[in-house]
Amino acid sequence: MYTQGLDSLGKESLHVGSADTAALEIRFQARIDADDKIEPKDWMPDAYRHTLIRQISQHAHSEIVGMLPEGNWITRAPTLRRKAVLIAKVQDEGGHGMYLYSAAETLGISRQQMLEQLLAGSAKYSSIFNYPTLTWADVGAIGWLVDGAAIMNQIPICRCSYGPYARAMVRICKEESFHQRQGFEIMLALARGTAPQRAMAQDALNRWWWPSIMMFGPSDTDSKHTAQSMRWKIKRFSNDELRQKFIDISVPQAQFLGLAIPDPELRWDEAAQHYRFGAIDWSEFQAVLKGNGPCNRERLGARVRAHEDGTWVREAAAAHADKQRARAAAQAA
């Protein structure tokens, strides 16, 4: 839906000198500052284009890989209703990936290129999906915490400067809000259940809390990359700002559930009107990013197998499309 009419992609940039490029950059930044949306045919700096390709493709990969931790609980969900809801959620995540791949394609990269990068292990996806889902409560914790953190990150993207990305995020955020409520409802049912169920919910919170707040990434207030992204309004808030907002919202929710946040240093700062929290173990975050998380190899292996197993489907679809084109050409002749 985003790739129509891209034959003139960035045509303003053809045959321009350095002085012209400088003028285009000034005009481009003025549009950003005025909160105009940049569209695929508009001129944009190469660095802006590459930053968007990296961010949108990683986001798309995260949605696709994110189907795996919960997908293996579809057949083990405790009731038919839970199965139906979880199927819908996993299907939503696949759709989010497709929206985002389509948005990235408007920047001049093909979906095939992005998938090859993912399957080769050269492209990143969110580190949170390299943790195992050991119990049914993990499905609840993912919906409540992981999708909650994703919403915190993604709502500002609905106002980002690149039009196709911003528009894709409007629907994605609406669906993610459903996912977050679904996860919280699971946790609430467990927290109000039997003692073993409450213990299961607490255990899931203990294991997912720190990885969830790592999702926002390390402190980036002094990062040149982040400063540039914020200047271009691809990113509107720093990692620390978003992490603090997530913690301030999530702690009262945990208290409502009757569960304890696994942070002995957590306390309310009345003067700042924020929760203060303990030090994050960034060595764990870096280890997972480097491929040494609990499920890195399992997740990537699953995606490679799924791609290989789907070869015949892609070939059949391509053959059908060829027949349709041949039939249309014959009728036109």
Side-chain angles (χ1 to χ4, degrees):
M1 62 182 179
Y2 289 118
T3 54
Q4 298 175 3
L6 298 185
D7 53 303
S8 57
L9 180 66
K11 65 180 181 180
E12 287 179 283
S13 63
L14 299 176
H15 313 301
V16 297
S18 57
D20 295 321
T21 299
L24 287 170
E25 288 179 348
I26 292 171
R27 190 174 73 180
F28 174 83
Q29 189 60 48
R31 291 187 61 192
I32 297 289
D33 294 339
D35 277 332
D36 287 349
K37 285 286 183 283
I38 306 301
E39 298 298 341
K41 292 184 180 180
D42 296 340
W43 183 89
M44 62 188 75
D46 287 341
Y48 178 82
R49 185 186 305 278
H50 295 153
T51 297
L52 280 167
I53 288 174
R54 178 188 57 80
Q55 180 170 330
I56 300 173
S57 64
Q58 288 183 11
H59 192 167
H61 298 330
S62 298
E63 298 285 356
I64 297 301
V65 176
M67 300 166 68
L68 299 173
E70 294 170 293
N72 64 19
W73 274 96
I74 290 174
T75 58
R76 296 181 287 165
T79 67
L80 183 59
R81 172 178 172 271
R82 296 293 191 194
K83 285 179 171 63
V85 172
L86 189 54
I87 288 171
K89 181 186 177 185
V90 172
Q91 180 176 302
D92 283 349
E93 304 295 2
H96 297 173
M98 297 304 103
Y99 303 153
L100 293 165
Y101 284 134
S102 294
E105 285 179 307
T106 67
L107 292 159
I109 186 171
S110 72
R111 188 170 308 197
Q112 183 63 31
Q113 286 176 283
M114 289 183 279
L115 289 174
E116 287 174 355
Q117 291 169 357
L118 172 63
L119 299 176
S122 60
K124 300 292 185 183
Y125 57 85
S126 179
S127 62
I128 195 73
F129 299 119
N130 290 313
Y131 290 87
T133 45
L134 304 178
T135 70
W136 171 247
D138 288 33
V139 176
I142 288 174
W144 170 37
L145 297 174
V146 175
D147 292 327
I151 292 169
M152 200 66 64
N153 265 317
Q154 293 170 5
I155 285 178
I157 301 176
C158 295
R159 298 188 298 114
C160 80
S161 58
Y162 189 58
Y165 194 18
R167 291 189 288 272
M169 290 310 305
V170 172
R171 177 167 178 172
I172 289 174
C173 286
K174 289 179 180 178
E175 293 178 350
E176 290 291 0
S177 67
F178 155 75
H179 300 167
Q180 196 271 345
R181 291 194 297 271
Q182 173 248 2
F184 188 81
E185 195 266 341
I186 290 174
M187 296 296 282
L188 182 61
L190 293 171
R192 292 180 175 178
T194 64
Q197 288 174 327
R198 290 194 297 274
M200 184 190 299
Q202 182 64 61
D203 176 64
L205 172 56
N206 291 346
R207 288 183 288 105
W208 288 96
W209 174 254
W210 290 105
S212 294
I213 63 175
M214 290 180 199
M215 282 179 66
F216 298 96
S219 178
D220 60 6
T221 52
D222 298 322
S223 167
K224 179 182 178 181
H225 173 75
T226 297
Q228 185 73 293
S229 292
M230 294 180 73
R231 185 167 72 89
W232 285 331
K233 296 186 180 179
I234 298 172
K235 184 171 185 172
R236 289 178 175 263
F237 300 96
S238 74
N239 293 347
D240 291 326
E241 289 173 321
L242 292 170
R243 183 174 14 256
Q244 184 66 66
K245 187 175 181 180
F246 173 72
I247 290 172
D248 289 344
I249 289 175
S250 299
V251 172
Q253 292 174 343
Q255 292 170 344
F256 179 82
L257 292 171
L259 302 176
I261 298 292
D263 180 359
E265 297 181 43
L266 185 71
R267 62 179 178 83
W268 175 249
D269 185 334
E270 185 65 33
Q273 291 291 294
H274 289 302
Y275 282 96
R276 300 306 182 193
F277 52 95
I280 298 172
D281 181 7
W282 290 112
S283 62
E284 176 186 340
F285 178 80
Q286 295 298 335
V288 176
L289 279 185
K290 292 176 181 178
N292 299 318
C295 298
N296 285 67
R297 293 170 183 81
E298 177 184 339
R299 299 290 185 245
L300 191 56
R303 288 309 313 153
V304 171
R305 288 192 300 274
H307 188 76
E308 292 173 348
D309 290 345
T311 299
W312 71 272
V313 178
R314 295 190 297 276
E315 290 175 348
H320 177 71
D322 289 341
K323 288 182 180 179
Q324 293 290 92
R325 283 192 291 270
R327 186 178 295 115
Q331 291 174 347

